[in-house]
Amino acid sequence: VGFVAIRDPLRPEASTAIAECRSAGISVKMITGDNVETARSIAHDIGLVERLDEPIDVPNAAVLTSRRFNELSDDELKANLPNLRVVARARPLDKYRLVRLLQEMGEVVAVTGDGTNDAPALKKADVGLAMGIAGTEVAKEASKIVLLDDSFATIVKAVEWGRSLYENIQRFLQ
């Protein structure tokens, strides 16, 4: 009898980057094709959800499966979006639907992606961020920004620089 487990380790800067996003008023949502238990565990490890026993597929849940995500009407989903943190077992158009609904709610949406299936969401988002190393050419063409190091922490640095530049322009105009 044997047992083998493989784990792709999280980048050490990921949890810090998530915390910095939250303190900057940025809501982070993870959409993944992973199994719901794997997704919830990763989300817990990076600080996206607080408890490993976070309820799944219930009203106002932080973790939804793609099946439940698609069972909800747009209005029901919009009511749940402020609490939503993870969509597991996601299908290609789930990311696009989430972007569309957030934009309808008046949110500015940035999306990361690396595959051909991510292209519609990358194009629809206010800011599409493709992965430069692992990303397909289709994803890179559909996005507005290509991350050369494929790191979420780079997005946080870009937001810091962008906000700083915006404040400098405001001061100059005043």
Side-chain angles (χ1 to χ4, degrees), residues 25-131:
I26 299 169
S27 174
V28 178
K29 300 184 187 317
M30 181 173 84
I31 303 174
T32 179
D34 288 339
N35 174 289
V36 69
E37 294 303 328
T38 303
R40 184 167 51 179
S41 177
I42 291 168
H44 177 264
D45 290 350
I46 61 174
L48 205 51
V49 295
E50 295 179 14
R51 301 184 344 245
L52 272 176
D53 62 343
E54 193 74 40
I56 298 169
D57 290 344
V58 296
N60 292 321
V63 181
L64 292 177
T65 60
S66 176
R67 180 188 53 76
R68 181 68 178 136
F69 180 82
N70 286 297
E71 287 173 355
L72 296 173
S73 70
D74 285 357
D75 290 333
E76 290 171 324
L77 198 51
K78 282 180 184 178
N80 190 47
L81 284 180
N83 300 319
L84 182 65
R85 298 283 176 261
V86 179
V87 178
R89 282 287 183 219
R91 295 183 292 184
L93 291 179
D94 291 349
K95 193 180 279 192
Y96 181 86
R97 181 179 183 210
L98 183 63
V99 170
R100 180 179 52 81
L101 293 175
L102 285 167
Q103 287 176 330
E104 287 175 9
M105 294 172 62
E107 300 289 339
V108 175
V109 182
V111 172
T112 63
D114 61 1
T116 303
N117 291 335
D118 295 324
L122 288 166
K123 193 139 192 89
K124 174 82 172 148
D126 298 296
V127 181
L129 300 133
M131 301 302 160

Side-chain angles (χ1 to χ4, degrees), residues 129-151:
L129 300 133
M131 301 302 160
I133 298 170
T136 63
E137 287 304 313
V138 173
K140 292 175 190 176
E141 288 295 321
S143 65
K144 293 175 181 70
I145 297 172
V146 177
L147 300 175
L148 299 178
D149 64 356
D150 290 7
S151 175

